[in-house]
Amino acid sequence: MLKTQELAVKNSKQISIFTRTVGAAFAAFIVANSTLGGAPSPFIAALVGALNPFEAIFAFIGAMLAYFFGGKLSQCLIEISAVVMILFIKIISSEFFHKNLKAAGSAIVTGTSYIICSLTIIFFTVSQSGAASFVAVCKGIICACAAYFMILAYNSSKEEGRLATSGTAGASLGIIFIFLVATMCSIQLEFLNFGRIFGIFAILFAARRNKHAAGALCGALVTCGTVIYSAETGKAAMLLAISGIVAGLFADFGSLAMSFFFIASTAAGVILIGADLNTAKILLDSAVAAIAFVAVPEKIINDFLGLGASCKSNAKAVELAASKLGFAAKTIFDVKKSVEQVSKALEKRNKENDPAICVCDKVCGKCRNNLYCWENEFDKFFDAFSEIKKTLDEKGKISAADLPKSLDKCFKRDEIVIAFNEFFADEIAERKANQRLKEMRTLLFEQFDGMGNMLEEIGRDIFYSKECDENFSKSVKDFLADNGAICARACVFFNSLNKIQIEAFYEGKLKCPPEEVSEYISEIADREFEIPQIFRAGEISKLCIMEKAEYKIETAISKRAGSNKETSGDSCEHFSDGQGGSYIIISDGMGSGKTAAVDSFMTISLLIRLLKAGIGFPAAVKLINSSLSVKSNDESFATLDFASINLYTGRLDLLKLGAAPSFVKIGGRVISVEASSLPIGILSDLNADKRSILLKDGDILVMASDGIRDDGHKKIREILLKNGEKSPQEIADEIMRCAFDEESCAKKDDATVAVIKISKNIK
């Protein structure tokens, strides 16, 4: 898992570098067109000064493109020369900048460079340069301050892994936001002002996340930025702070309600202070920003700003936890390997002693005729002792009458018989002990594998699900607590398909039905959710709910016991994990009747409990395999036919351990999926046969136990091709009828058929 994480981090870094460079170029293109007091603003120089040399190069390219296409090359000589000077200094002394200059030092270099370039150009181009020089120095100071706050905000956000909104970093972000609004206000299209639209959008987003206080603060910042751009619009812009408070008060009612009341309060303010062209423009900008706020999903904004992981436990801590689990899993695998190596080495040293050699040492070694017998008659006595060993292996015990005739003259015949019986009994006991030890060692190694796989899977889940929406999670937690949940904990996150998933753990029992939970979450998320799945383990309940998936399935099961039997040895279950996965499992116990039913039921029930707990299939199967091995002294095994369907993508995964073939109808053809693996409970080393298929609307999966003989497989194909439009229950009943009624499908064993049809979810 550590290698997987390293690859994911590497890919993430590559994407991050591309995003930063393109973002730097785009930001520079926008900022380069900005004005301050009607003249080009110094913010482009501040941006280049705040970036690292590599990103600054792309920012320079973006700025030059803006000046070229805007026809402003001659008007922005000061800004261009300042950017070139700052970039030159950064490149030739990048190591010095990185090691020695902090935010203040970089800001001073940036501001000084801007002032030097400004004064130089003014000296050669302006006749009366006193006032112009004073303005240039002021703009240089503004440039230095902007660069300083940009660096502070960037460094803090980088350390925390998200956009920092508190403390010094938060204050820096606020000042940068003011400059950004002022900069973007210079971009206009007819009556629309993009700076105000951007600022109002930010007000609504802040109010959505942190209610009325954040709306008021952001509104005040937007007002400041608007005033810096143009004092004429300052009076009308004061309405934005009040509208931000109103929007925050309605944050719990969704983005549409917030936008409506924001526009309504802005319109009321316009009426109170008197309508003019500026207030009308702000009202129009508010309407455009509100429409954009409703249209753009909050997840996209969170990702762009790095606010997706807004939990107090930041992403770095989560990654560390995932890495620790991965390291622990690898350690367990290493321990298993070491124990295996030591065991094999000891087995080589502790080879079984030969009873013939032991008897020779004990009896013959003390006999006065030893030299005569084993020197002069070696072959004769060696063959005699070998014959005694064969007799012992056959009978388990010998008497004097069983000794070969070649030992008739030996006067220690009775001692030889006693010694052989004793050593052979000891050898048998040692063999049994070694066999028991080997079985225990096998079970121990299975446990090592199971534990390692579990830790890997949990670590992988944590690593790829580390982004949690804190506000949404708190809303879900509060709702559960209000409805009877004790010690509720909830986490709302986006999966790899950009779909919302929720996991919650609590004690006690919910007072509201699952449907009400779905309605509440759908309302606050402004998305449609499925009915939650609730699993219990002891006193703790786990609630899983997912955003409505692309597909849904309809499942039908038909079972029948074999001839003259009341109990079927087959077991079949299906369930959903509440996270987009739907599972169907069939197990056939050894034999038939109640004994087989116990094995199959135990296999399925354990697998379902482990899967619901979040343990993956490989680890769960290893644990079940060990459980069947130690269940009783009797031989115990069962087949396992496992199907998993991802309702978001339609992907079907079939895993089989000794299971009968399955059939999948895709369009107008039927394919079979067969397996050659052994059932669970026989060997410690399990290798499930796996097949993945992409299902689409109308496709059908048929799973069956081995009670449906080979002759019946042809019938299944025919039924699927002829009756594909029928319901799953009708198809299952038709297959079972053929299995029992047709002579070609004569049946005495237990039979189970599961039919699953996938279809598009109506949204």
Side-chain angles (χ1 to χ4, degrees):
M1 193 195 79
L2 289 174
K3 290 183 179 179
T4 305
Q5 291 182 10
E6 288 172 3
L7 182 60
V9 171
K10 183 179 179 181
N11 293 336
S12 177
K13 286 182 177 178
Q14 292 175 347
I15 295 172
S16 177
I17 291 172
F18 175 78
T19 304
R20 292 203 309 270
T21 53
V22 174
F26 179 75
F29 186 88
I30 299 298
V31 173
N33 286 300
S34 66
T35 59
L36 189 63
S41 77
F43 295 138
I44 182 61
L47 178 63
V48 173
L51 297 174
N52 63 48
F54 182 69
E55 295 167 355
I57 293 173
F58 285 88
F60 171 72
I61 294 172
M64 292 306 298
L65 289 173
Y67 293 141
F68 177 78
F69 288 110
K72 298 180 180 179
L73 288 173
S74 59
Q75 301 173 24
C76 301
L77 290 177
I78 293 176
E79 285 68 32
I80 294 173
S81 59
V83 167
V84 171
M85 183 175 181
I86 295 167
L87 187 59
F88 177 75
I89 295 173
K90 276 182 170 289
I91 292 174
I92 65 172
S93 58
S94 59
E95 187 173 350
F96 175 79
F97 263 76
H98 178 71
K99 289 184 177 180
N100 300 290
L101 284 188
K102 298 187 182 297
S106 297
I108 291 172
V109 171
T110 301
T112 303
S113 299
Y114 186 89
I115 292 173
I116 291 173
C117 291
S118 299
L119 294 178
T120 302
I121 292 175
I122 290 171
F123 179 78
F124 288 104
T125 59
V126 180
S127 57
Q128 295 179 353
S129 59
S133 300
F134 177 76
V135 172
V137 172
C138 292
K139 290 175 71 174
I141 294 172
I142 293 174
C143 177
C145 293
Y148 174 75
F149 291 121
M150 285 182 190
I151 296 170
L152 276 186
Y154 175 78
N155 290 340
S156 298
S157 300
K158 188 177 180 181
E159 289 176 4
E160 294 188 22
R162 62 187 181 91
L163 197 64
T165 56
S166 60
T168 305
S172 303
L173 186 64
I175 295 172
I176 293 170
F177 179 70
I178 293 173
F179 289 152
L180 186 58
V181 171
T183 298
M184 294 186 67
C185 279
S186 60
I187 306 173
Q188 300 187 53
L189 180 64
E190 296 297 334
F191 293 105
L192 297 178
N193 184 294
F194 287 95
R196 287 198 297 263
I197 292 173
F198 166 74
I200 294 168
F201 187 96
I203 294 171
L204 290 169
F205 178 72
R208 175 75 166 134
R209 287 185 62 87
N210 296 300
K211 305 297 189 319
H212 54 280
L217 176 60
C218 195
L221 296 177
V222 173
T223 301
C224 290
T226 307
V227 170
I228 290 175
Y229 169 72
S230 172
E232 295 178 3
T233 58
K235 180 181 176 182
M238 293 178 62
L239 297 171
L240 299 178
I242 300 172
S243 298
I245 296 175
V246 174
L249 293 173
F250 292 92
D252 292 334
F253 295 91
S255 56
L256 188 60
M258 285 179 59
S259 301
F260 173 78
F261 284 103
F262 182 89
I263 295 173
S265 61
T266 304
V270 168
I271 295 172
L272 288 174
I273 66 174
D276 57 19
L277 182 60
N278 288 326
T279 54
K281 287 181 178 180
I282 286 183
L283 190 59
L284 179 61
D285 292 336
S286 299
V288 174
I291 292 171
F293 177 69
V294 173
V296 178
E298 187 176 350
K299 171 65 167 69
I300 295 177
I301 309 171
N302 285 333
D303 287 346
F304 181 76
L305 297 177
L307 294 172
S310 58
C311 288
K312 296 300 181 182
S313 54
N314 57 39
K316 290 184 179 179
V318 176
E319 288 181 13
L320 179 61
S323 299
K324 284 184 176 181
L325 287 171
F327 183 77
K330 191 176 185 304
T331 302
I332 289 176
F333 289 134
D334 289 343
V335 169
K336 175 203 168 187
K337 185 177 179 181
S338 299
V339 174
E340 281 182 326
Q341 291 174 345
V342 172
S343 300
K344 289 179 181 179
L346 291 176
E347 283 179 358
K348 292 179 180 179
R349 291 178 57 186
N350 298 331
K351 291 292 184 182
E352 296 175 354
N353 293 322
D354 189 343
I357 297 175
C358 294
V359 171
C360 182
D361 291 340
K362 181 177 180 179
V363 179
C364 301
K366 299 178 181 179
C367 180
R368 62 176 182 271
N369 295 325
N370 178 275
L371 292 177
Y372 173 78
C373 297
W374 289 98
E375 291 290 340
N376 300 331
E377 303 286 343
F378 178 84
D379 292 338
K380 171 184 173 182
F381 283 93
F382 180 82
D383 292 341
F385 274 43
S386 298
E387 187 176 341
I388 294 173
K389 280 179 60 181
K390 292 180 181 179
T391 305
L392 272 171
D393 289 334
E394 294 173 0
K395 295 184 175 182
K397 192 174 182 179
I398 61 170
S399 63
D402 296 316
L403 295 179
K405 292 184 178 180
S406 56
L407 297 180
D408 287 346
K409 294 182 180 180
C410 179
F411 61 88
K412 291 200 173 186
R413 287 164 54 86
D414 293 338
E415 293 182 37
I416 289 175
V417 169
I418 294 171
F420 260 110
N421 285 333
E422 287 179 352
F423 281 117
F424 188 74
D426 292 341
E427 182 186 4
I428 295 298
E430 187 175 351
R431 286 180 187 174
K432 291 181 178 179
N434 288 336
Q435 183 61 31
R436 285 196 297 271
L437 180 61
K438 187 175 181 180
E439 292 173 356
M440 292 172 61
R441 191 184 301 133
T442 300
L443 290 175
L444 175 64
F445 291 158
E446 283 188 11
Q447 296 298 319
F448 276 143
D449 282 336
M451 290 170 60
N453 287 334
M454 275 193 292
L455 290 175
E456 276 191 327
E457 288 159 4
I458 294 172
R460 193 180 299 114
D461 287 343
I462 291 175
F463 183 78
Y464 288 109
S465 303
K466 60 176 180 280
E467 292 194 355
C468 176
D469 190 309
E470 181 184 6
N471 294 323
F472 199 165
S473 300
K474 185 178 184 303
S475 298
V476 174
K477 173 187 172 182
D478 293 342
F479 174 79
L480 295 176
D482 293 340
N483 284 274
I486 302 172
C487 300
R489 299 172 299 279
C491 180
V492 180
F493 58 92
F494 289 86
N495 62 19
S496 58
L497 299 172
N498 197 29
K499 299 293 184 181
I500 296 177
Q501 289 184 197
I502 301 173
E503 288 187 7
F505 297 86
Y506 60 90
E507 298 178 15
K509 189 175 181 180
L510 291 180
K511 299 175 183 177
C512 63
E515 292 79 6
E516 189 174 329
V517 177
S518 176
E519 290 175 4
Y520 171 78
I521 293 175
S522 299
E523 184 179 351
I524 64 173
D526 200 19
R527 302 189 185 193
E528 195 171 356
F529 279 77
E530 301 281 3
I531 303 298
Q533 300 292 320
I534 300 176
F535 313 120
R536 289 182 174 84
E539 298 178 352
I540 299 176
S541 296
K542 176 184 178 183
L543 181 145
C544 297
I545 184 170
M546 64 180 186
E547 192 175 336
K548 197 163 188 178
E550 186 73 18
Y551 295 98
K552 64 179 179 179
I553 64 168
E554 185 180 355
T555 305
I557 298 172
S558 183
K559 295 175 63 175
R560 188 163 177 177
S563 303
N564 303 320
K565 296 184 180 71
E566 296 181 357
T567 304
S568 172
D570 297 348
S571 295
C572 181
E573 294 289 343
H574 66 95
F575 73 97
S576 173
D577 62 4
Q579 297 177 337
S582 192
Y583 305 91
I584 306 92
I585 312 167
I586 294 178
S587 180
D588 183 5
M590 181 184 66
S592 60
K594 294 182 178 179
T595 303
V598 169
D599 290 339
S600 64
F601 178 77
M602 178 178 176
T603 299
I604 282 188
S605 60
L606 288 177
L607 181 58
I608 290 176
R609 290 176 63 185
L610 292 170
L611 291 173
K612 286 181 178 179
I615 297 172
F617 181 81
V621 167
K622 288 182 181 295
L623 292 174
I624 296 169
N625 193 54
S626 301
S627 301
L628 286 176
S629 301
V630 300
K631 179 174 70 70
S632 67
N633 292 326
D634 299 329
E635 190 177 38
S636 180
F637 62 84
T639 65
L640 187 60
D641 201 357
F642 178 84
S644 169
I645 300 176
N646 187 317
L647 298 180
Y648 288 118
T649 63
R651 174 182 167 131
L652 164 68
D653 290 320
L654 282 168
L655 295 100
K656 293 179 175 290
L657 287 163
S662 296
F663 300 87
V664 185
K665 178 182 178 293
I666 303 176
R669 62 192 181 99
V670 176
I671 62 173
S672 62
V673 180
E674 301 183 5
S676 58
S677 55
L678 293 174
I680 192 170
I682 295 179
L683 299 176
S684 60
D685 189 15
L686 293 172
N687 291 304
D689 292 303
K690 183 177 179 179
R691 178 79 178 272
S692 296
I693 301 170
L694 191 63
L695 301 180
K696 295 183 179 179
D697 186 26
D699 291 343
I700 301 173
L701 166 67
V702 174
M703 302 168 65
S705 65
D706 61 3
I708 307 296
R709 303 289 176 89
D710 293 343
D711 293 340
H713 296 168
K714 184 177 180 181
K715 287 288 183 182
I716 292 176
R717 291 177 178 272
E718 294 176 0
I719 292 170
L720 285 176
L721 291 174
K722 292 180 180 179
N723 305 293
E725 300 302 320
K726 291 186 177 181
S727 69
Q729 190 61 60
E730 290 174 322
I731 296 173
D733 292 341
E734 179 69 13
I735 293 173
M736 190 62 72
R737 185 189 64 77
C738 289
F740 275 84
D741 294 346
E742 298 276 343
E743 283 189 14
S744 61
C745 302
K747 175 76 179 62
K748 291 184 179 180
D749 196 6
D750 304 320
T752 298
V753 175
V755 179
I756 303 94
K757 178 180 281 190
I758 188 170
S759 59
K760 281 277 189 179
N761 223 340
I762 300 175
K763 296 186 178 181

